[in-house]
């Protein structure tokens, strides 16, 4: 899909891929979308929704499509019972996408103006913007919509600040909390929201979305399975070397003997300058591999092996966090982790 980017860049922006705010294509989730459209028309829209499901399946796109629907049809009685599709050239769509619409507040990880890097959490300062936003008169008497993407990224102070807004929301206000793991949200927040559970895309839906971005998919079923039905994960696998990284990593850690040359080649591929996404993919695949081994051992009744692998997962997770927090040498990080995990897996085999 050819598009002119109008949405502000976010912490997880991918080159050539539309931001959720500017994406007119919502694939799958039709039943849930139309159920909410009918609920709105019937005057029974809840004041706060949690859109829950795996990362990269279109939850944020869903949120912006719902916001577009409510703003396009401020009179619910005249609204259709199917969610409206945004028109990319329309003023409404462009205002929402660019962050200029006075009826939509989109909160995500903010930029650190000193370091010019995105923060690792949605901060309490961001949530305090909600009070200012809600204190203003609503645009044309329509809805005011607050989207938090993802709510999982809120720190404790931010979550507590949001809770106060959820307890006594103004009329014609909708909070949409996007969550990759709703169980991690405060129970008091979950109790004040209606949860809408969304699921990973089927192979044909995944192919349709990727085709709209100009990405060819030779084996949609295999890719969907590997990506867990996630469009974002599929893009990372196909466009950012994820499949090659996973394959190289698996070959090294499953070998009976550590191969320094292969490990060095992998480290060069993922730990160089401007390799932030491949580096993140390496870390994610490493954790997934160890986690899968631990789960398999537990299901097989080998509790000793399962416990050892679970401890390895925790150790690996801490190492990754420390490398990112303190900006440690990425190449040494890769080599050290690969050697450590290959050795543990070889001994535990």
């Amino acid at each position: 899909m050819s598009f002119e980017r109008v949405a502000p860049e976010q912490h997880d922006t991918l080159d050539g891929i539309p931001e959720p705010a500017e994406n007119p294509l919502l694939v799958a989730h039709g039943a849930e979308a139309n159920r909410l459209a009918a609920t709105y028309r019937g005057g029974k829209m809840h004041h706060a929704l949690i859109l829950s499901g795996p990362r990269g399946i279109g939850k944020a796109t869903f949120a912006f499509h719902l916001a577009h629907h409510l703003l396009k049809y401020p009179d619910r009685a005249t609204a259709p019972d199917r969610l409206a599709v945004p028109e990319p050239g329309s003023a409404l769509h462009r205002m929402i996408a660019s962050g200029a619409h006075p009826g939509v507040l989109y909160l995500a990880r903010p930029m650190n103006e000193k370091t010019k890097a995105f923060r690792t959490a949605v901060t309490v300062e961001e949530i305090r913007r909600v009070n200012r936003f809600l204190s203003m008169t609503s645009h044309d008497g329509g809805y005011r919509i607050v989207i938090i993407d993802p709510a999982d990224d809120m720190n404790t102070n931010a979550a507590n600040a949001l809770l106060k807004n959820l307890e006594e929301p103004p009329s014609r206000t909708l909070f949409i909390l996007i969550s990759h793991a709703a169980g991690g949200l405060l129970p008091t927040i979950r109790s004040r929201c209606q949860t809408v559970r969304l699921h990973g895309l089927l192979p044909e839906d995944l192919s349709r979305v990727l085709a709209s971005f100009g990405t060819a998919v030779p084996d949609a079923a295999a890719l969907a399975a590997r990506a867990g039905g996630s469009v974002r994960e599929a893009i990372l696998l196909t466009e950012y070397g994820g499949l090659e990284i996973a394959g190289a990593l698996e070959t090294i850690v499953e070998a009976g003997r550590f191969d320094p040359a292969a490990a060095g080649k992998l480290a060069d591929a993922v730990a160089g300058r401007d390799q932030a996404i491949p580096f993140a993919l390496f870390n994610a695949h490493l954790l997934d591999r160890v986690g899968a081994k631990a789960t398999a051992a537990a299901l097989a009744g080998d509790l000793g092996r399962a416990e050892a692998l679970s401890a390895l997962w925790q150790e690996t997770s801490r190492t990754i966090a420390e490398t990112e927090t303190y900006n440690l040498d990425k190449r040494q990080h890769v080599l050290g982790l690969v050697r450590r995990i290959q050795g543990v897996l070889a001994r535990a085999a």
Side-chain angles (χ1 to χ4, degrees):
M1 179 173 59
S2 176
F3 74 102
E4 172 199 358
R5 188 179 297 286
V6 296
E9 181 178 338
Q10 304 299 326
H11 74 278
D12 57 354
T13 293
L14 296 176
D15 290 341
I17 304 300
E19 291 294 323
E22 61 193 352
N23 188 357
L25 182 64
L26 179 65
V27 174
H29 317 314
E32 294 83 0
N34 293 330
R35 190 178 302 120
L36 285 176
T39 298
Y40 172 60
R41 181 172 179 170
K44 298 180 179 180
M45 177 68 76
H46 200 283
H47 76 277
L49 303 175
I50 294 174
L51 301 185
S52 176
R55 187 186 304 271
I57 63 170
K59 299 187 299 297
T61 300
F62 186 114
F64 278 104
H65 279 230
L66 180 58
H68 168 270
H69 184 85
L70 268 59
L71 294 171
K72 183 174 183 177
Y73 300 103
D75 180 3
R76 64 173 180 79
T78 63
D81 56 6
R82 298 180 66 84
L83 206 64
V85 177
E87 300 174 10
S90 69
L92 176 59
H93 177 70
R94 292 183 67 86
M95 286 181 69
I96 293 174
S98 64
H101 197 288
V104 180
L105 177 64
Y106 180 58
L107 301 179
R109 295 185 195 177
M111 175 78 75
N112 184 324
E113 294 302 328
K114 292 183 179 180
T115 64
K116 300 302 179 183
F118 286 97
R119 298 186 184 275
T120 58
V122 176
T123 61
V124 67
E125 287 78 14
E126 287 299 290
I127 300 302
R128 285 174 181 156
R129 293 173 58 195
V130 175
N131 291 328
R132 297 193 294 272
F133 174 69
L134 296 181
S135 68
M136 297 183 293
T137 303
S138 63
H139 179 66
D140 295 336
Y143 258 82
R144 286 170 294 185
I145 301 149
V146 178
I147 301 173
I148 305 177
D149 179 21
D152 312 318
D153 281 356
M154 291 188 296
N155 58 31
T156 301
N157 290 336
N160 287 326
L162 175 65
L163 186 58
K164 296 178 181 179
N165 295 117
L166 295 177
E167 288 172 343
E168 297 180 1
S171 61
R172 296 180 70 77
T173 298
L174 176 64
F175 290 88
I176 306 178
L177 280 59
I178 295 164
S179 177
H180 311 316
L185 297 175
L186 291 177
T188 44
I189 287 180
R190 296 201 307 270
S191 68
R192 287 165 173 78
C193 301
Q194 176 187 346
T195 298
V196 179
R197 291 181 173 82
L198 305 178
H199 303 283
L201 275 63
L202 297 173
E204 56 270 27
D205 291 329
L206 187 66
S207 292
R208 182 182 169 199
V209 176
L210 294 177
S212 74
F213 300 151
T215 300
V217 183
D219 189 342
L223 181 60
R226 189 69 178 263
S230 165
V231 174
R232 180 177 180 82
E233 184 65 18
I235 292 170
L236 293 175
L237 288 171
T238 56
E239 300 294 318
Y240 288 85
L243 290 172
E244 292 78 5
I245 292 169
L249 178 62
E250 186 165 341
T251 298
I252 296 168
V253 300
E254 294 296 337
R257 179 178 299 178
F258 182 69
D259 185 344
K265 184 177 180 181
L266 175 60
D268 290 339
V270 304
R273 184 175 295 180
D274 300 325
Q275 294 294 311
I277 291 178
F279 183 69
L281 285 172
F282 163 81
N283 288 325
H285 286 311
L286 200 65
L287 286 174
D288 288 346
R289 190 66 186 162
V290 176
K293 289 282 188 181
T295 300
L299 292 175
D302 190 346
L303 300 185
R305 175 177 165 83
E307 184 176 350
L309 290 170
S310 295
L312 177 61
W313 190 96
Q314 294 288 347
E315 177 189 337
T316 302
S317 183
R318 286 194 298 271
T319 299
I320 292 170
E322 289 171 358
T323 298
E324 293 176 343
T325 300
Y326 301 111
N327 196 28
L328 303 180
D329 188 292
K330 290 185 172 64
R331 193 173 192 280
Q332 290 304 313
H333 166 90
V334 172
L335 292 173
L337 279 184
V338 170
R339 181 185 290 275
R340 168 74 173 140
I341 289 172
Q342 188 276 333
V344 171
L345 293 181
R347 291 194 300 271

